[in-house]
Amino acid sequence: MPLSSTMIGALLGLGTQMYSNALRKLPYMRHPWEHVVGMGLGAVFVNQLVKWDAQLQEDLDKMLEKAKAANERRYFGCVLLLRSHNAARLSSLKLVEERDEGK
């Protein structure tokens, strides 16, 4: 992937410089050093874009995992708490009933 993104960036920089010369009706390869600079800048730009996209995907995965965990705690945690609360209530009612029956 790094080689292909570098080549795409270099072609982008070269194409931009040649297009700039064509718009100004200059020879395509006028000042060849400008083409080399354009190719270098294009390669750096596309490589940074690929790194940024990978970092963005990693951050998005982390955020989605946190949101999923929060939703599970919010909804499934409440159900478990209610069940345990109701079970405790029922057991205390049974103890009261057994105590009343014993009298």
Side-chain angles (χ1 to χ4, degrees):
M1 184 66 184
L3 182 62
S4 62
S5 62
T6 301
M7 290 303 295
I8 289 171
L11 289 174
L12 177 70
L14 178 66
T16 301
Q17 183 59 37
M18 291 182 76
Y19 184 69
S20 172
N21 284 349
L23 282 178
R24 295 181 290 161
K25 298 190 188 285
L26 297 172
Y28 289 125
M29 294 304 282
R30 181 175 175 246
H31 298 149
W33 61 270
E34 291 177 350
H35 294 78
V36 173
V37 170
M39 290 171 69
L41 290 175
V44 169
F45 171 74
V46 173
N47 281 321
Q48 291 299 319
L49 188 66
V50 169
K51 285 181 186 176
W52 179 73
D53 185 47
Q55 183 65 36
L56 188 65
Q57 185 65 37
E58 183 179 314
D59 292 343
L60 179 64
D61 291 341
K62 286 179 185 176
M63 289 174 58
L64 289 175
E65 189 63 37
K66 285 181 183 178
K68 183 179 177 184
N71 283 336
E72 287 176 356
R73 279 194 316 269
R74 181 179 304 138
Y75 295 112
F76 298 127
C78 290
V79 171
L80 293 176
L81 286 176
L82 288 175
R83 284 185 182 170
S84 64
H85 183 267
N86 287 339
R89 234 169 118 201
L90 286 174
S91 65
S92 65
L93 285 175
K94 285 181 184 177
L95 288 175
V96 169
E97 287 175 1
E98 288 174 1
R99 185 189 65 189
D100 292 341
E101 289 174 2
K103 286 185 178 178

